Amino acid sequence: MKDEAQVATFTTLQALMWPEFGICTERELYVCTEGAVALSDTRHDIHFATGGEASFATWFNLFNLEKWQRECDLSSLVLTLEGAGDFELSVFLAPSNRSWDLVSCEYVTLSEDAAKEGRLRVDLSHLLQQGCAEGVLYFALRAMGPGHLVGAAWQTQDAPKRQPQLALAVTTFRREAEVARTVKRFAAFREQSWMKDHVQMIVTDNGRTVDLDPPEGVSIVPNENLGGAGGFTRGLLEARARGASHCLFMDDDASIHMESLERTWMLLAYATDPKTAIAGAMISEQHRWAIWENGALFHTRCLPQHMGTDLRNKSEMIAMENLATWPPGRCRIPFMAAGGISPSRWTRPGTSPSPFSCAAMMSASRWPMISTFSPSTGWFPSRKALPRRKARRLGTWTCAAIWPTT
């Protein structure tokens, strides 16, 4: 892991996400401001005048303490802030079905001269104790004078348990323009990311019409038109052949913040179970503040869960995130999937579906995927190609699903 992801002994689990034109610019999904506060989307900088307030109780910037602790068994956690000025810093823990707790409220000074890096770290490791790590964390700032914030991250001093190798499997059929845009964005991200050596993209071309000179880290695989299932199966087989430990399935029209890949890598690197699988939610393209699907049930047809949830509404959004915290079996939901798959593909005749028979479908690491079509974000390969795993619902991103390749 490179220095950008790991500073001294502190590893960033989740950094701030910012609005991005073409993906999502609903500011209230990233930061909620009040008073004299100005935000720069391009410089990733928030400027405050006296009394200005900013809260990160938002869809993209919550930290799901309960999921991280249950799945990764963390022993240390810090909140790191970068910027300048004097602030009141408040950290809240929002559990399910009871009052939210103000776990820390301090007067802090961010100094650009401090250790020549302007970082302030607040130790929150005590929240990892048994019985405390329930709910989601967020922080808020109130400016005591002029100041600015250029970054924040949830970090740990724990060492990662493994170094995942991710492969993004994209299936396309005669949608050359969409594929070209996706490849361009991925290549730009990969070139500047610390995880460059840990991620690749495999485009399965079912129409055999993609004419691209693939950049480093991208492979174009001509394939017979076997539909979505056949395309993703081919992508999985190619990922395994190229040494990937996990395969992420995406449609060619899906859009994500590329930083979501870094969050996913971190969760897989720290997960106590090496067979952990991740799946995501999806936001409507028409109204990018609304959930299209955050998990689904199958009973003769696909029944998207939480459709229409307003992600700008803090209470509504946090309630949904807390509902998505537990694995399907704990939620007493018999079968869940992201979209486009029948339970019969996962069960033998005369048997009942396992409560853990599908990874997706309940959300994973706060990624929004924007899709121009249906809630079906991908099809799953056959049982032979993709063995059934004990799947985990890990958070909230927006993509199809990510599975171990072995």
Side-chain angles (χ1 to χ4, degrees):
M1 198 182 313
K2 298 186 178 180
D3 292 342
E4 288 83 350
Q6 192 168 4
V7 179
T9 57
F10 292 91
T11 301
T12 296
L13 302 175
Q14 179 179 304
L16 289 183
M17 281 189 181
W18 302 81
E20 181 180 353
F21 179 73
I23 304 298
C24 183
T25 57
E26 295 283 349
R27 181 180 291 189
E28 291 168 282
L29 273 61
Y30 303 84
V31 58
C32 296
T33 61
E34 185 174 342
V37 179
L39 171 67
S40 171
D41 293 343
T42 56
R43 293 193 302 270
H44 294 176
D45 194 352
I46 303 176
H47 277 257
F48 298 80
T50 302
E53 300 180 15
S55 170
F56 294 89
T58 59
W59 170 248
F60 289 112
N61 289 316
L62 287 174
F63 183 80
N64 196 312
L65 177 67
E66 190 166 356
K67 291 181 184 179
W68 272 96
Q69 178 61 355
R70 187 187 68 241
E71 303 300 333
C72 303
D73 193 24
L74 299 177
S75 61
S76 63
L77 179 69
V78 298
L79 172 63
T80 300
L81 305 177
E82 298 181 61
D86 296 326
F87 297 90
E88 180 187 71
L89 168 65
S90 301
V91 180
F92 294 87
L93 176 63
S96 179
N97 299 321
R98 63 181 177 87
S99 298
W100 299 353
D101 294 315
L102 177 61
V103 297
S104 178
C105 184
E106 300 289 345
Y107 180 88
V108 300
T109 298
L110 304 183
S111 173
E112 293 178 326
D113 296 328
K116 297 183 180 180
E117 59 181 20
R119 290 186 175 92
L120 171 74
R121 290 190 171 93
V122 180
D123 189 0
L124 299 170
S125 300
H126 62 284
L127 297 178
L128 301 172
Q129 297 175 7
Q130 186 175 5
C132 294
E134 296 181 1
V136 298
L137 282 174
Y138 69 89
F139 72 95
L141 293 170
R142 182 162 65 95
M144 301 293 99
H148 68 106
L149 180 75
V150 297
W154 302 94
Q155 298 183 318
T156 185
Q157 289 183 288
D158 297 11
K161 299 176 177 66
R162 64 192 62 84
Q163 299 279 313
Q165 296 294 326
L166 302 187
L168 279 68
V170 177
T171 295
T172 187
F173 180 76
R174 296 181 181 177
R175 293 170 56 84
E176 296 83 1
E178 288 80 359
V179 169
R181 285 194 295 268
T182 298
V183 167
K184 183 178 179 180
R185 287 191 67 236
F186 172 77
F189 159 78
R190 184 178 182 274
E191 182 60 31
Q192 56 79 40
S193 175
W194 55 264
M195 64 179 296
K196 177 179 180 179
D197 296 331
H198 302 290
V199 63
Q200 61 180 302
M201 175 179 283
I202 300 166
V203 178
T204 302
D205 180 14
N206 278 357
R208 301 188 180 186
T209 56
V210 175
D211 184 17
L212 288 177
D213 183 14
E216 182 184 0
V218 177
S219 302
I220 309 296
V221 180
N223 194 53
E224 183 180 354
N225 183 19
L226 299 175
F232 285 118
T233 299
R234 179 66 183 272
L236 177 63
L237 296 174
E238 295 289 337
R240 180 180 293 171
R242 288 167 167 77
S245 62
H246 293 78
C247 186
L248 170 64
F249 302 100
M250 290 182 60
D251 276 357
D252 55 12
D253 63 317
S255 302
I256 65 169
H257 288 298
M258 288 295 174
E259 293 82 359
S260 298
L261 299 177
E262 296 179 341
R263 293 187 179 186
T264 300
W265 190 95
M266 282 296 172
L267 196 145
L268 293 172
Y270 279 87
T272 55
D273 184 352
K275 297 180 180 179
T276 293
I278 295 177
M282 186 159 54
I283 293 174
S284 166
E285 187 198 37
Q286 184 176 8
H287 301 295
R288 300 193 181 191
W289 45 262
I291 281 287
W292 182 266
E293 178 182 81
N294 188 2
L297 303 179
F298 281 88
H299 182 64
T300 68
R301 62 187 179 90
C302 178
L303 303 173
Q305 299 298 287
H306 305 291
M307 179 180 284
T309 297
D310 189 342
L311 299 175
R312 301 168 299 181
N313 184 312
K314 180 170 68 174
S315 297
E316 188 176 342
M317 179 269 298
I318 289 179
M320 181 188 67
E321 176 68 4
N322 278 322
L323 282 174
T325 292
W326 288 98
R330 296 295 295 272
C331 293
R332 298 181 182 178
I333 298 175
F335 186 84
M336 303 183 181
I341 180 172
S342 165
S344 62
R345 297 185 56 162
W346 288 86
T347 57
R348 296 192 178 105
T351 64
S352 299
S354 162
F356 296 107
S357 58
C358 195
M361 320 348 74
M362 287 314 284
S363 91
S365 195
R366 205 159 289 90
W367 291 42
M369 177 170 70
I370 313 297
S371 179
T372 57
F373 290 107
S374 74
S376 299
T377 60
W379 297 76
F380 290 90
S382 67
R383 289 174 57 89
K384 290 183 179 180
L386 186 61
R388 185 162 57 191
R389 299 289 188 189
K390 178 181 177 182
R392 310 285 179 111
R393 282 168 48 202
L394 298 175
T396 10
W397 34 298
T398 4
C399 229
I402 184 164
W403 287 82
T405 59
T406 58

